[in-house]
Amino acid sequence: MENQQQLYSQYQKIKRFVSVDCVIFGYEQDQLKLLLFKRIIPPAQGEWSLIGGWLQEDESAETAAMRVLQYITGLTDIYLEQVHVFSKPDRDPGGNVLTIVFNALIRIEKHSNQLIEKFGAQWFSLNEVPQLIFDHDEMIRIAFEKLRLKATYNLIGRQLLPEKFTITQLRNLYNAIFQKQFDPGNFRKKVLSLKMLEQLEEKDMSESKKGAFYYKFKDVEESYVVEPIFRNAIKL
């Protein structure tokens, strides 16, 4: 017991900061986008960064990430998934910081533009992401891989598309996620076979003279399938 107390006493002297960073994905105009902001504290003050904050003593990492997201976007109902832990002692020049990274998926049209502008945040398409601080490029790379893996085993779109959408709009989202063009006929056949979408009576007349039916996700819990939805979409 005494040795255990000595051990705790020894580790109490070790100072290591813990933070959360959020890789916030949105989708707009057939482009997958990231929300970034200019860092407001040194080091690297004024440079582009992921959105994050410190983990407080009385909260979990998930609670801290949701608090940061709500503070920046004004949203409370956000899809959140832990991605990775970055723990190299020298990764942050400001100190020994362990960072827990989360993926967040939000509908761009729902967030608060006023809050985002207040914090100097900005949406960037994936091919226009500016130079980022520290190891944030690596964070985005791993987060993007995690998003692709999710889209491989689950029909993504509930958190990124509008409430009603066409199959073409869903396919364009998948094109953006996997950075490839899916065959329209095969894509339609596959996603409808999953029985996760409900066809609406309303049509989008902008795609063709005949129009395209709108769909919405059924009000059921998402669940991963055993086999990849699109086997050749990503190398696993």
Side-chain angles (χ1 to χ4, degrees):
M1 185 69 174
E2 182 177 351
N3 290 337
Q4 186 176 4
Q5 289 176 343
Q6 290 176 349
L7 184 63
Y8 276 113
S9 177
Q10 174 186 346
Y11 278 101
Q12 283 174 354
K13 298 176 183 178
I14 299 175
K15 287 190 176 181
R16 191 161 202 190
F17 304 100
V18 180
S19 69
V20 294
D21 275 324
C22 300
V23 183
I24 305 175
F25 289 102
Y27 181 67
E28 186 179 51
Q29 298 177 342
D30 297 339
Q31 289 187 326
L32 195 64
K33 295 186 175 182
L34 286 169
L35 186 62
L36 306 173
F37 84 127
K38 289 194 173 182
R39 186 175 167 92
I40 60 176
I41 60 173
Q45 185 174 1
E47 297 183 27
W48 288 107
S49 166
L50 292 173
I51 292 168
W54 300 111
L55 186 68
Q56 298 176 1
E57 290 185 2
D58 61 346
E59 62 183 1
S60 66
E62 289 76 13
T63 302
M66 191 58 71
R67 169 176 55 79
V68 168
L69 289 169
Q70 183 178 357
Y71 190 56
I72 297 291
T73 68
L75 300 176
T76 56
D77 185 18
I78 299 177
Y79 173 86
L80 194 67
E81 182 178 12
Q82 185 173 323
V83 171
H84 196 68
V85 175
F86 287 75
S87 59
K88 289 183 179 180
D90 59 348
R91 53 169 298 274
D92 187 325
N96 191 342
V97 181
L98 183 149
T99 297
I100 305 165
V101 179
F102 288 85
N103 266 357
L105 308 180
I106 71 173
R107 291 176 179 162
I108 290 181
E109 73 274 8
K110 280 193 170 184
H111 73 260
S112 169
N113 281 317
Q114 289 183 338
L115 279 177
I116 285 179
E117 290 172 2
K118 173 185 175 182
F119 292 104
Q122 185 175 329
W123 287 101
F124 290 90
S125 61
L126 288 181
N127 59 355
E128 294 178 345
V129 173
Q131 182 68 41
L132 300 177
I133 65 170
F134 313 153
D135 50 2
H136 287 201
D137 286 325
E138 180 69 4
M139 292 180 180
I140 290 175
R141 184 188 67 79
I142 294 177
F144 190 33
E145 288 179 357
K146 186 87 169 183
L147 178 66
R148 283 181 161 185
L149 185 62
K150 177 178 173 61
T152 299
Y153 285 94
N154 204 318
L155 194 58
I156 273 191
R158 190 187 300 269
Q159 301 89 359
L160 293 170
L161 292 173
E163 294 284 350
K164 59 181 182 180
F165 52 87
T166 66
I167 298 296
T168 297
Q169 290 169 335
L170 178 59
R171 176 167 53 84
N172 287 341
L173 171 60
Y174 263 74
N175 290 344
I177 291 173
F178 290 100
Q179 298 181 338
K180 61 173 288 183
Q181 296 295 314
F182 286 85
D183 177 77
N186 290 338
F187 183 90
R188 179 184 182 86
K189 181 179 179 181
K190 184 62 179 180
V191 299
L192 293 181
S193 71
L194 299 174
K195 308 296 184 183
M196 294 179 65
L197 303 180
E198 178 183 340
Q199 181 179 304
L200 306 178
E201 295 296 327
E202 186 181 355
K203 281 187 175 183
D204 175 15
M205 303 304 296
S206 66
E207 294 187 5
S208 66
K209 292 183 179 179
K210 184 179 179 181
F213 281 108
Y214 280 113
Y215 289 80
K216 70 174 184 179
F217 280 93
K218 292 182 179 178
D219 190 20
V220 295
E221 291 288 335
E222 290 188 355
S223 59
Y224 281 87
V225 295
V226 176
E227 295 292 331
I229 298 175
F230 300 101
R231 187 173 298 276
N232 297 324
I234 187 173
K235 294 181 180 179
L236 300 175

